Amino acid sequence: MNGGNRSRGQADGFTLDILPKLKDVKSSDNSTSLLSYIVAYYLKHFDEDAGRETCLYPLPEPQDLFQASQMKFEDFERDLRKLKKDLNACLAETEKVCQLSSEENLQPFKDKMAAFLTQ
């Protein structure tokens, strides 16, 4: 990766914690990032159908890719925790409604909510 020596920052590899920072590792002339290089190399050497609908891993729209690259993992984890909390609250409310409702008023709510919560 780096052309230096051991005392001047030579890097012969990296650990997985660098993966979120690939877009920040720039070439010596700042024209491309390591992430751009990896994607271009993969498309050129491993996916003959790149750019077609038959490609193995179709690339998302550039705007979607840009938005995803700007997201912080901590924010993503926080959002997932909130979604899990909201889902558990919804489960509890659904159980409460099903327990307190008469049998004649229970359908189709029970079946629709069961399908929704499972999905």
Side-chain angles (χ1 to χ4, degrees), residues 18-83:
I18 189 72
L19 291 179
K21 302 172 188 167
L22 288 178
K23 67 179 176 22
D24 300 327
V25 178
K26 303 286 184 178
S27 63
S28 60
D29 62 356
N30 271 345
S31 64
T32 187
S33 70
L34 182 55
L35 179 61
S36 299
Y37 175 78
I38 290 170
V39 170
Y41 186 89
Y42 172 80
L43 292 174
K44 184 177 180 183
H45 293 89
F46 296 104
D47 194 353
E48 296 171 358
D49 292 331
R52 299 185 192 108
E53 290 192 24
T54 56
C55 68
L56 293 174
Y57 302 106
L59 294 175
E61 292 297 319
Q63 183 61 27
D64 295 340
L65 192 59
F66 174 75
Q67 287 178 337
S69 73
Q70 300 303 310
M71 188 166 190
K72 296 178 180 162
F73 285 114
E74 296 82 17
D75 295 342
F76 187 65
E77 289 174 336
R78 185 188 68 238
D79 291 346
L80 284 177
R81 281 193 300 274
K82 183 179 181 327
L83 283 172

Side-chain angles (χ1 to χ4, degrees), residues 64-112:
D64 295 340
L65 192 59
F66 174 75
Q67 287 178 337
S69 73
Q70 300 303 310
M71 188 166 190
K72 296 178 180 162
F73 285 114
E74 296 82 17
D75 295 342
F76 187 65
E77 289 174 336
R78 185 188 68 238
D79 291 346
L80 284 177
R81 281 193 300 274
K82 183 179 181 327
L83 283 172
K84 186 175 182 178
K85 179 182 169 190
D86 291 347
L87 178 62
N88 288 335
C90 188
L91 279 166
E93 287 295 318
T94 300
E95 288 179 20
K96 184 192 260 184
V97 168
C98 289
Q99 288 174 355
L100 298 175
S101 296
S102 64
E103 194 63 38
E104 61 194 36
N105 295 329
L106 200 53
Q107 293 302 335
F109 175 80
K110 185 177 179 181
D111 291 340
K112 289 192 182 276

Side-chain angles (χ1 to χ4, degrees), residues 1-16:
M1 252 171 49
N2 293 337
N5 57 34
R6 294 252 182 237
S7 63
R8 286 195 44 219
Q10 178 180 356
D12 294 325
F14 54 88
T15 58
L16 292 180

